[in-house]
Amino acid sequence: LVFTEEDKYGLYSDLLFKYFLAEGIVCGHDLFVASAKEHPDNILKELPAPLLDDTHGKESGDEAAAVKSDDLQDSMKIAWRYQNLPKMEASPTTYTKFGHYYDVSKKMSPELCQSIKLHSFYLHEELSSEPKMKTCNMNSGYARLLQSIQRIISQEGFDGSDPQKKKRNILRIGIHSLGSILWGDGICCSYTPEDTHSLTKFLYVLRGLLRKSLSACIITVPAHLIQNKAIMERVTNLSDMVVGLESFIGSERETNPLYKDYHGLVHVHQIPRLNSLICDVSDTKDLAFRLKRKLFTIERLHLPPDLSDTVSRASKQDLAGSAKLLSSGCGAMAIGKKHLDF
Amino acid sequence: QGKFTLLRDTRTDGSFLVHHFLSFYLRAGCKVCFVALLQSFSHYSIVAQKLGVSLAAAKERGQLVFLEGLKSCLDLVFGEEEQPEQPSPLQFLSTSDLRALFDFVRVSLTPSDGDSWKGPVLLVDDLSVLLSLGAAPVAVLDFIHYCRMTVCYQLKGNIVVLVHSNEDSEDEENELVVNSLCHHSNLILWAEGLATGFCKDVHGQIKIIRRLSLRQAAEQDPVQIYQYKIQDRNVTFFARGMSAAVL
């Protein structure tokens, strides 16, 4: 269960969401898209086109068949998010073929979109039907969504209920902007909403569904709007992987020379620890992202070289202040600079 | 015998302690009732195999009673109408009443004829989830109290419970439950992430607090602090600053 905290204007989290779905299409997985804000068909029209191999401009479907996803286990929730990172090291050629690159400036062709089965859930179209399950005092929008997901999972055999089905596929579920007012949940509106448990109950049942079937799910949540932080803590505990996107638009960090190459920061709050005692911790936790014309990249945050002679005290303090927020190597470097300047 | 151990984690994941206690008690021959609310059976099973214990075999011979929360909640939410004599232990999802869960625990750990296990053990992973699912903090504390009376005093068994806590947590209900449990535990194992940040060789530090002050007033609780690193099949503990990477 991949949980993404949206950035303030939703630009970059939408992009990540679309990457997840696009990867699903290219790998031949089935998709389930749920949204209360924008109709899922519109979201699907906007997916980025895949870059196949290193020769750009070739859009054939054979590539999708060639890349096999060999991490299939019966009840696994997969953090496919790492798969979507176009560039983690400096040289992409040493990168093993795990995932695809996407060209953000081009849209995915409709033939490719139609090569897999798409299921969608648009809240405002589903309001008329009554949920046939026990809602357990959950918000009705969430209850309907759960019912829809459960129905697709059992109908299409993702939970292994159909032994005749030889080709096992994965269902990729994307849920957009959960917890916002458009889903009927009041947690974004006030500090003490009347129903604080709907979102967490929904996540628990969803987790149960995901564990029981061959599916992976990404959820984006406008975390900055949720005023009761206790809910966010509980939600973090219930998810396998939690990633926060913080964009620099409109904040004072936009002009900070530390961040001039990047558009935002990526906070990895939690990594999945499944089926083993340990988890795969990367070397660094400071990641930043930038959106170029064709590519959305996530890189390690490194300080730009301090070349100017007249670095004033004010900017040094800014660097040191932001260095407190960085948790490893980079932080030591910045504080070291402060001491040198006496 | 009759001990209540509290596993607590802050800024890190303390579930390795749960895996340890599970395999420890199973190997010791105790009857274990495991209320696993957060992960699936196969997750625990795979880790237990690395630690040398087979959960499936333990379940077969009746040594392990496993409540898989995720699966039971699906049965509750999407299943057909349940029979009134057999309420689901996760009934609190709709009724906020933890009595059914307690009954489940009591029935599974009460020894029946022909049982030759040493001492019952209740293991809960993890208690903070109950609050997320709509149970009131007082109800959770009552549940633990009832379990203690039955398991620790009546049946002379042990209880091990995992809770999450954070330093500047805004989750007051959780903090209430955690603080209250701390006061009533015989032993607290507190896994914390390092205060200085993330490190590859030292995954965290663990504080071991033996609550002697429960027995005799005005006794100090000895606190021991070690640091640890988790590996694939093992966890290594060492004194602070003595990590293999440093020496």
Side-chain angles (χ1 to χ4, degrees), chain B residues 65-82:
Chain B
V65 179
F66 194 96
L67 173 63
E68 189 173 350
L70 292 169
K71 191 159 84 107
S72 303
C73 95
L74 287 184
D75 292 336
L76 173 71
V77 171
F78 295 114
E80 296 100 31
E81 283 300 321
E82 65 204 23

Side-chain angles (χ1 to χ4, degrees), chain A residues 75 133-134 136-137 197 200-201 204 207-208 211-212 229-230 233-234 237 273 275-276 278 282-283, chain B residues 13 37-39 42-43 69 74 76-78 93-94 131-133 169-171 173 198 200 230-231:
Chain A
S75 49
M133 47 174 255
K134 298 204 198 69
C136 304
N137 303 329
H197 297 290
T200 42
K201 280 187 194 170
Y204 190 74
R207 195 181 162 101
R211 287 278 197 265
K212 212 180 79 140
K229 295 297 167 203
E233 288 174 21
R234 292 180 182 178
N237 278 338
R273 196 186 287 240
N275 295 334
S276 114
I278 53 173
S282 56
D283 287 332
Chain B
D13 184 13
L37 294 173
L38 209 50
Q39 300 279 16
S42 59
H43 165 81
L74 287 184
L76 173 71
V77 171
F78 295 114
L93 274 173
S94 35
L131 292 171
S132 308
L133 293 177
S169 170
E170 290 201 14
D171 191 348
E173 293 184 349
F198 165 71
K200 212 160 72 140
I230 309 179
Q231 288 146 340

Side-chain angles (χ1 to χ4, degrees), chain A residues 148-164:
Chain A
S148 181
I149 296 178
Q150 192 262 345
R151 189 169 40 95
I152 302 287
I153 288 181
S154 58
Q155 266 174 12
E156 305 284 328
F158 289 108
D159 54 355
S161 55
D162 186 5
Q164 264 84 30

